[in-house]
Amino acid sequence: MEKLTERQNSNESSLSSSVPSVVSPSCEDVIPDLNFTTVRKWKDQHPGAKAIGYFPVYAPLEIIHACGMLPVGLNGAGDQLDIQYADARFGSFICSIVKTTLEMGMTKHLTPFDGLLFSTICDSARNLAFVFKRNFPEQYVDFLHLPHNPSSEASVDFLMSEYARLQENLEQLGGTKLTDAALNESIELYNENRRLTRRLYDERDGNPQLMRTSELYALIRAGNFLPVEEHTKLLKQAVDELPTRAGKQRDSIRVVIEGSFCEQPPVDLIKIMEEAGCYIVDDDFVLGPRWFTKDVSVNGNPMRALADAYSNASVYSSMPHDWRNPRHKQLIEKARRRKADAVILLIAKFCEPAYFDYVLFKQELEKEGIPHLLMEFEEKMFTFERLRTEIETFVESLLFD
Amino acid sequence: MTTQTEYRSQLHHRQKELMVKWYERLNEAAETGEPPTVSMMISGNCVELLEGFSAVPIYPEVNALQLAIRHQSLEPILLAEELGYAADNCAYVKADIGAYLRGITPTGGKLPKPTLVLCNFVGCNTYLKWFEHVAEFTGAPLYTLDVPFMRYDEPTHADIEYVVKQLKELIKRLEDLTGRKFDYDRFKEAVRCSSEVENLWSRIKHLAKHSPSPFDAYFDAITLMGPLYVYRAKPEGVEFFEIALKELQEKVLNERDDGEREQFRVVIEGPPPYPHFRTFRDMFAKWNATAVASTYSTVGGLWEFGARHDPSTPFESVARHMLEHNVTNRNYLQRYDQIKKYVEDWNADGVIIHFVKSCRLFSAGQGDMRDYFTKTLGIPTLYIESDLEDPRYFSEAQLKNRIDAYFEALEHQKLSHRGIEERRN
Ligand code: SF4
Ligand code: SF4
């Protein structure tokens, strides 16, 4: 892989080098850790308790948590794993995360997990769930159908039944009963976590130089692995610390990143974008743990509250589907709200949902006169040179026009 | 031999008539605004419900495949790619959208702006995107009918209830859009027609258990599939499939098994490469290989294992059809079982897996499928790649080599088996 260091050093003065990195080193360490050390540690501390891995994007974490289990967001293997087995199962034209996830399974990296959860994100991921079932017959593998018709009154009821089904399976797996009180408590915990995340994005919005996106990204992504209680502490710390930081403003454009909702780009790529002069003021990285646009209600039937939130307060993304407020309109709204100079459509290679959405995104961005750039990435990239040039040219054209 | 020619021509003749008539109705709708039309996906379609409004279905998939088979798909695909569609998006969508924007239709007639774009989401996630795009480009209203995927072998009670409720919402929506009242009796009658057609179609499928099979359940099945989707819920459909069954039965009686016409019996998984349909077919014909069953012919419905629409519970049976009786909404392992049953009950020599670049619904994981059939079950399995709509992705020489090598090996295996048996006797 081509070295970043040189470039980084040369730019260091213009970046927010004075930012104290209390949070990020440990968070950055968690990301490439395919041994899931934090998960193993949690299991050691909670003998007998189960960990459930979920494939992006969304899973009802509250239900898993309220069953006394640790929900863990799977995000592929980055550049940490050579594919030996998965290529033969999922051939050409299939995105990387599907293959690396299966590869992790086949190389026993997923042994800390007592169950794996998939949902209706795309055709490749859905088939993956069943390939897992066949290859790991002992493993609890479940598939959630998250409804695609939120305009139907029946959709909340249906999702409740789907959640109830999950609950039953988890109860059986863990040997404990889920109570409404426990679920409400979990909802509160996750509400707080999401609230802090939203706040962090909002507060950084006015002063993006205070926290690099690569740092924020690591912090948010660590939430995939850590118990929510612990992660919330880190978020709180970051929120408190933000105003005390000193970051130098730089000549940068404000961009919104869209399209990396499932497979995650290499962190180096995010860094390159920042070095090239982008303040990434919003993004759709690691969307699962920050799925709801507002708090989930805790005054009533908690299962209904969760199902209702999914139908009516999900973040827009390539999944789910809600034509009441199409995602291409919402992207424009987001770009305007964040006063973005441009949108970068950052898409995983062979991610068909993102490819499709690109067409309407592009059309709408052009209609609205918002500059945009399309970039494709893979989990494992050997050179960033071409993308670096593309992004630099793009930024320059906007800065000096 | 004469019977065969007559039989083929009559069936094909009637098929053509029906399909032309359908496109004429669509043209009429484009010109006069009547009848109402509903754009819909083939998989798990609810064409019966449309009958309750005397509405006519538009099937973008049929349009796309017609374009491909007539070698007209490349131009619209290129146009769509200019708009931003990726090289790796499902080319059905690209051909359909490109053709719409360019005003290309399979027959040269007009296609109407649909009264409703109905995304009957049955398995394929591309459907969701495709129909959102159709709605965006045509400006027609969209209703997404969400059908829970088959996580288990059977749909749950909640699954059925959810789909039925949406069917009723859909009726309300169509009443508003067409200004017509839903005709329940007509709907029920449509469900009855469907069950008859399904019965006939299923019997046709079972004729392929004969050796030689009176038809090819992959290449010929495609001829029968048009009427199956467009006319299933109509008396014309019943009549058509009666003719088809009768003729194929006669063919069974008139053809003796000389071992020549049908040397190999295979099961084919995955859609065909429509832009090179003939060429591809010839690669199998050369070896006198017949597909005795195929998963692709069950995208619209899976009836050979006994499922039927039921006029005594019309809504529920439509829901069940959408949920569990079509290959696209069934999970991957159910598909393995389906193919396995075909191999066993239809007495096949092997399995051909046709990986289609466009279609991840079918293709994602087919390597695992191959592993299952070759390693776990020990069934000779061939894995080949091309596309169902994009003519650029078809490597003729390579496919031919692989197919030849496969049948050579099968032949060798058969000969040595025969040798062993002869020695035993
Ligand atoms: S990256 Fe895209 S194609 Fe791959 S699993 Fe995720 S949503 Fe599906
Ligand atoms: S992905 Fe496959 S099933 Fe889906 S629309 Fe395309 S060809 Fe049809």
Side-chain angles (χ1 to χ4, degrees):
Chain A
M1 196 199 298
E2 161 243 343
K3 278 275 161 265
L4 279 167
T5 353
E6 233 174 278
R7 171 109 197 163
Q8 242 169 2
N9 290 341
S10 69
N11 267 15
E12 200 64 15
S13 57
S14 67
L15 282 171
S16 43
S17 53
S18 52
V19 173
S21 296
V22 183
V23 164
S24 54
S26 60
C27 292
E28 264 199 50
D29 292 345
V30 182
I31 295 177
D33 176 17
L34 294 194
N35 289 320
F36 298 100
T37 314
T38 51
V39 179
R40 289 176 195 271
K41 209 170 101 195
W42 182 87
K43 289 185 80 169
D44 286 345
Q45 290 163 350
H46 302 81
K50 313 279 183 203
I52 304 289
Y54 68 93
F55 194 84
V57 184
Y58 173 76
L61 309 175
E62 294 84 346
I63 298 176
I64 302 171
H65 182 269
C67 287
M69 301 180 182
L70 179 69
V72 179
L74 300 175
N75 273 134
D79 59 0
Q80 300 294 303
L81 205 57
D82 284 329
I83 305 286
Q84 292 177 38
Y85 306 100
D87 264 337
R89 308 288 162 130
F90 282 84
S92 343
F93 310 109
I94 303 296
C95 68
S96 169
I97 187 174
V98 162
K99 293 184 190 173
T100 55
T101 306
L102 183 61
E103 190 73 22
M104 284 199 279
M106 297 191 123
T107 49
K108 304 218 169 6
H109 282 93
L110 299 181
T111 44
F113 299 104
D114 303 283
L116 295 175
L117 198 54
F118 293 86
S119 67
T120 35
I121 173 168
C122 73
D123 298 335
S124 304
R126 186 201 44 225
N127 288 359
L128 173 66
F130 294 91
V131 168
F132 255 104
K133 276 197 186 207
R134 184 179 91 80
N135 286 279
F136 304 94
E138 304 301 319
Q139 174 85 291
Y140 162 60
V141 178
D142 211 339
F143 183 85
L144 277 187
H145 185 91
L146 300 170
H148 290 293
N149 183 6
S151 71
S152 168
E153 283 176 11
S155 118
V156 173
D157 287 339
F158 168 76
L159 188 53
M160 280 177 73
S161 75
E162 193 64 352
Y163 284 168
R165 192 176 66 72
L166 174 70
Q167 174 191 342
E168 238 171 74
N169 289 341
L170 292 180
E171 284 175 343
Q172 214 171 8
L173 183 73
T176 46
K177 281 266 167 221
L178 178 144
T179 62
D180 277 5
L183 188 51
N184 270 326
E185 241 169 73
S186 301
I187 293 177
E188 293 257 37
L189 285 174
Y190 281 93
N191 273 345
E192 192 190 5
N193 190 281
R194 286 185 289 256
R195 215 179 302 134
L196 285 164
T197 308
R198 284 195 297 268
R199 209 171 126 197
L200 205 47
Y201 270 85
D202 287 346
E203 293 192 358
R204 205 185 57 122
D205 181 43
N207 290 299
Q209 75 281 4
L210 294 184
M211 192 182 207
R212 290 191 215 166
T213 294
S214 45
E215 191 188 2
L216 175 62
Y217 172 74
L219 172 61
I220 302 293
R221 190 161 158 186
N224 268 347
F225 304 90
L226 300 174
V228 62
E229 301 83 347
E230 241 174 79
H231 186 244
T232 297
K233 276 188 211 146
L234 292 179
L235 287 174
K236 255 195 207 130
Q237 199 181 329
V239 168
D240 292 344
E241 191 186 282
L242 195 69
T244 68
R245 288 180 164 201
K248 244 221 271 101
Q249 300 241 9
R250 27 182 182 131
D251 268 351
S252 291
I253 58 166
R254 295 169 63 89
V255 302
V256 163
I257 293 196
E258 180 79 32
S260 314
F261 55 93
C262 178
E263 186 175 311
Q264 296 299 293
V267 181
D268 283 347
L269 184 54
I270 301 176
K271 290 182 177 164
I272 284 177
M273 291 181 162
E274 302 195 283
E275 282 169 36
C278 295
Y279 282 140
I280 301 170
V281 288
D282 215 333
D283 58 69
D284 58 357
F285 303 140
V286 210
L287 218 43
R290 50 193 183 111
W291 191 258
F292 297 121
T293 52
K294 56 178 193 200
D295 282 357
V296 179
S297 157
V298 280
N299 313 312
N301 177 339
M303 280 291 190
R304 176 165 292 279
L306 278 173
D308 182 66
Y310 184 83
S311 280
N312 298 308
S314 284
V315 292
Y316 84 88
S317 156
S318 282
M319 202 283 293
H321 294 84
D322 187 353
W323 202 242
R324 292 173 301 182
N325 193 358
R327 63 184 83 76
H328 52 282
K329 304 277 183 211
Q330 297 208 51
L331 171 62
I332 302 298
E333 208 186 295
K334 188 199 257 181
R336 296 256 184 264
R337 193 175 63 241
R338 294 291 188 204
K339 301 193 184 58
D341 302 303
V343 169
I344 293 182
L345 298 142
L346 187 62
I347 295 181
K349 197 165 169 55
F350 300 127
C351 177
E352 187 157 48
Y355 283 154
F356 272 122
D357 287 340
Y358 170 67
V359 178
L360 297 190
F361 283 154
K362 172 173 180 269
Q363 190 173 287
E364 201 68 14
L365 288 164
E366 271 158 20
K367 211 159 73 193
E368 297 291 324
I370 300 174
H372 57 88
L373 176 70
L374 170 67
M375 300 211 299
E376 247 184 5
F377 68 86
E378 282 178 89
E379 276 189 276
K380 195 183 242 176
M381 292 177 77
F382 297 100
T383 166
F384 295 94
E385 238 2 86
R386 196 179 46 81
L387 289 182
R388 185 201 297 277
T389 314
E390 266 178 42
I391 178 107
E392 281 174 350
T393 316
F394 181 69
V395 172
E396 273 160 30
S397 75
L398 288 173
L399 274 180
F400 304 115
D401 257 9
Chain B
M1 243 21 219
T2 35
T3 27
Q4 189 183 345
T5 330
E6 268 169 23
Y7 131 74
R8 289 193 71 81
S9 67
Q10 199 191 339
L11 195 152
H12 282 228
H13 178 71
R14 187 69 190 128
Q15 189 259 8
K16 228 182 216 142
E17 255 178 21
L18 284 175
M19 296 312 275
V20 166
K21 206 174 113 194
W22 172 50
Y23 275 113
E24 279 170 5
R25 290 281 280 159
L26 293 179
N27 187 65
E28 196 184 316
E31 283 183 340
T32 67
E34 289 288 334
T37 54
V38 175
S39 206
M40 185 166 59
M41 306 309 314
I42 282 179
S43 304
N45 65 69
C46 53
V47 70
E48 294 79 15
L49 204 89
L50 268 51
E51 281 299 303
F53 291 97
S54 306
V56 178
I58 306 172
Y59 289 116
E61 287 157 295
V62 176
N63 297 338
L65 81 84
Q66 294 274 0
L67 288 173
I69 218 160
R70 290 160 202 228
H71 308 292
Q72 291 175 336
S73 60
L74 188 57
E75 188 194 339
I77 287 175
L78 291 175
L79 177 72
E81 288 179 0
E82 273 169 42
L83 280 181
Y85 287 94
D88 298 304
N89 273 129
C90 169
Y92 258 16
V93 183
K94 289 190 276 186
D96 179 54
I97 300 285
Y100 171 77
L101 295 173
R102 189 73 20 119
I104 304 170
T105 61
T107 55
K110 284 192 196 138
L111 286 174
K113 170 177 165 182
T115 313
L116 178 70
V117 176
L118 168 61
C119 178
N120 44 311
F121 170 65
V122 175
C124 171
N125 268 63
T126 296
Y127 291 164
L128 293 162
K129 305 291 185 192
W130 187 349
F131 273 32
E132 283 183 350
H133 290 204
V134 170
E136 180 69 18
F137 286 117
T138 60
L142 172 73
Y143 184 86
T144 299
L145 202 157
D146 179 37
V147 177
F149 190 67
M150 291 292 292
R151 293 87 82 209
Y152 295 120
D153 288 343
E154 295 266 322
T156 63
H157 179 69
D159 291 346
I160 295 169
E161 204 177 345
Y162 178 39
V163 175
V164 167
K165 277 190 191 153
Q166 291 178 86
L167 287 170
K168 292 188 175 161
E169 285 176 8
L170 172 62
I171 288 175
K172 176 82 185 53
R173 190 80 189 265
L174 277 168
E175 284 185 335
D176 291 346
L177 285 166
T178 60
R180 295 179 182 188
K181 186 109 195 63
F182 178 64
D183 185 336
Y184 179 75
D185 291 335
R186 242 193 112 120
F187 166 56
K188 221 172 139 177
E189 174 56 18
V191 171
R192 198 193 55 75
C193 278
S194 282
S195 73
E196 262 189 62
V197 165
E198 287 154 11
N199 209 17
L200 294 161
W201 172 242
S202 165
R203 288 172 68 189
I204 290 173
K205 285 274 184 95
H206 282 273
L207 288 180
K209 286 180 172 170
H210 288 276
S211 185
S213 165
F215 73 111
D216 186 291
Y218 188 60
F219 295 107
D220 290 329
I222 281 144
T223 314
L224 300 169
M225 280 156 72
L228 186 65
Y229 308 141
V230 183
Y231 290 97
R232 182 176 76 229
K234 285 176 167 299
E236 289 102 310
V238 179
E239 187 216 327
F240 174 78
F241 282 97
E242 275 168 353
I243 295 172
L245 175 64
K246 188 157 160 270
E247 289 176 353
L248 292 168
Q249 281 171 331
E250 275 166 17
K251 210 171 160 225
V252 171
L253 292 177
N254 293 337
E255 252 190 335
R256 248 172 300 123
D257 181 8
D258 57 6
E260 273 303 308
R261 189 175 75 70
E262 183 180 277
Q263 302 243 353
F264 300 102
R265 296 167 65 81
V266 293
V267 176
I268 304 187
E269 142 81 359
Y274 282 116
H276 303 275
F277 194 72
R278 257 281 124 212
T279 315
F280 191 63
R281 181 171 196 163
D282 286 345
M283 292 179 190
F284 292 88
K286 176 186 163 192
W287 288 94
N288 290 335
T290 309
V292 291
S294 63
T295 48
Y296 181 62
S297 62
T298 59
V299 284
L302 184 65
W303 296 295
E304 51 265 51
F305 301 112
R308 302 285 181 268
H309 277 84
D310 179 359
S312 71
T313 53
F315 282 109
E316 189 185 316
S317 79
V318 169
R320 277 187 181 275
H321 169 69
M322 301 181 95
L323 280 155
E324 61 173 327
H325 303 313
N326 62 85
V327 72
T328 52
N329 205 52
R330 294 166 75 83
N331 70 54
Y332 217 49
L333 301 183
Q334 289 180 304
R335 204 184 318 156
Y336 291 13
D337 282 345
Q338 185 184 341
I339 298 171
K340 179 168 172 269
K341 270 214 185 88
Y342 285 146
V343 174
E344 288 164 356
D345 300 354
W346 271 256
N347 196 16
D349 304 305
V351 175
I352 313 282
I353 298 175
H354 180 222
F355 174 102
V356 164
K357 171 186 193 281
S358 271
C359 181
R360 288 168 178 87
L361 173 127
F362 264 100
S363 311
Q366 273 174 335
D368 184 72
M369 183 188 279
R370 172 182 50 191
D371 184 84
Y372 173 68
F373 281 98
T374 50
K375 299 219 180 98
T376 313
L377 301 183
I379 295 168
T381 301
L382 172 69
Y383 180 93
I384 43 178
E385 293 191 15
S386 78
D387 197 61
L388 85 171
E389 183 77 12
D390 191 333
R392 294 168 296 184
Y393 194 68
F394 187 84
S395 146
E396 187 174 339
Q398 200 189 13
L399 284 170
K400 205 174 149 301
N401 281 342
R402 311 247 2 240
I403 291 170
D404 284 348
Y406 174 75
F407 284 115
E408 264 161 32
L410 262 190
E411 189 167 51
H412 185 77
Q413 203 180 355
K414 274 197 168 180
L415 286 176
S416 52
H417 274 186
R418 207 172 295 157
I420 293 168
E421 267 171 30
E422 271 163 16
R423 275 198 298 281
R424 264 201 205 129
N425 297 334

